[in-house]
Amino acid sequence: MELTFSQVGTEREIAEVAKLAADIWREYYVSLITREQVDYMVDKYQSVPAITEQIEQQGCEYYLMRAEEVPVGYMAVKEEEGRLFLSKFYVHKEYRGRGYASRADAFLEELCLRRDLSRIWLTVNRDNASSIAVYEKKGFRVVREQVADIGGGFVMDDFVMEKEIAHRP
C-alpha cells in the first residue's frame, strides 16, 4: 500500500489530525497514563486550536500520513539548533505493524539531509516499551531521562532519544 506524507496546513487537515490524535491517544495511552492525563494532553497539545497555534506560531510542521488516501497517522517536527525535533509520531492501531514506522523514518532522514540537519531527537514515555523498541530498531539511543511538569498536576516522565544522521559525501 502506498504511503504518502503531506504537510498539514488547511483547517480540514488540522481537524483530521486532531481527530486521529484523539482516537489514537484514547486507545493507546490509557495503558501508560491515566484517562484524565490523556484527556488533558489531547486538549492541551492535540486539539484543533493547539495544533493551529503550533503550526502558525511555534514553527511546527505537521505531516499527515495516508495509505491510499486514508489518514493512518501523523507526525509533527520542528527544527532546533541544527537538529530535527520529532515532537509527535503516531499511527492508528488498525495500521500498525505494516512498516509505516520505517517509511516515516526514511522520510524524516531525507528531510534532515535536505535541510543539512545532523540529528533527530524525541521524547518517549519511559514505560512505552513497544515504541522505545521501534525507535531503537531505527537507530535511536537514549541520551537522558527527563521529567517535565505539563500543568494540571501532570508530568511527562520520558526518555530523550536521539539518532545521528549520516550525510552523504
Side-chain angles (χ1 to χ4, degrees):
M1 205 177 272
E2 182 184 352
L3 186 68
T4 59
F5 300 88
S6 59
Q7 191 166 353
V8 172
T10 67
E11 288 180 21
R12 184 183 60 75
E13 292 166 335
I14 290 170
E16 275 185 290
V17 170
K19 180 179 180 346
L20 262 176
D23 291 348
I24 292 167
W25 274 72
R26 290 191 171 102
E27 171 266 322
Y28 187 81
Y29 284 97
V30 291
S31 66
L32 298 171
I33 57 179
T34 65
R35 166 75 65 189
E36 293 78 20
Q37 184 169 350
V38 168
D39 291 342
Y40 175 82
M41 291 181 73
V42 166
D43 183 56
K44 184 173 174 87
Y45 300 111
Q46 300 292 264
S47 62
V48 167
I51 294 167
T52 302
E53 180 183 331
Q54 290 165 36
I55 291 170
E56 293 178 356
Q57 298 174 19
Q58 297 175 18
C60 286
E61 301 168 40
Y62 274 77
Y63 292 91
L64 199 50
M65 300 165 51
R66 295 182 195 275
E68 305 298 321
E69 299 303 313
V70 175
V72 299
Y74 68 99
M75 299 183 292
V77 299
K78 183 177 180 180
E79 284 188 41
E80 296 182 341
E81 301 169 5
R83 303 180 307 161
L84 189 69
F85 174 44
L86 177 56
S87 172
K88 294 157 186 70
F89 174 54
Y90 303 104
V91 176
H92 196 280
K93 178 182 184 176
E94 163 179 352
Y95 298 96
R96 292 181 200 137
R98 298 184 184 193
Y100 293 164
S102 293
R103 286 150 93 186
D105 186 57
F107 173 82
L108 294 170
E109 282 192 27
E110 190 57 40
L111 200 62
C112 286
L113 290 171
R114 285 197 316 264
R115 297 179 183 188
D116 198 28
L117 303 173
S118 63
R119 292 176 173 18
I120 303 171
W121 73 280
L122 57 89
T123 59
V124 60
N125 183 294
R126 200 182 311 231
D127 294 323
N128 191 345
S130 60
S131 292
I132 291 167
V134 169
Y135 290 130
E136 287 175 335
K137 186 176 177 185
K138 304 299 171 219
F140 286 84
R141 60 183 177 79
V142 173
V143 293
R144 70 178 189 279
E145 299 176 8
Q146 78 179 18
V147 177
D149 184 338
I150 58 169
F154 301 111
V155 297
M156 292 193 309
D157 189 6
D158 294 332
F159 287 129
V160 176
M161 298 184 80
E162 191 173 76
K163 174 182 183 172
E164 212 166 316
I165 303 302
H167 286 269
R168 299 177 197 124

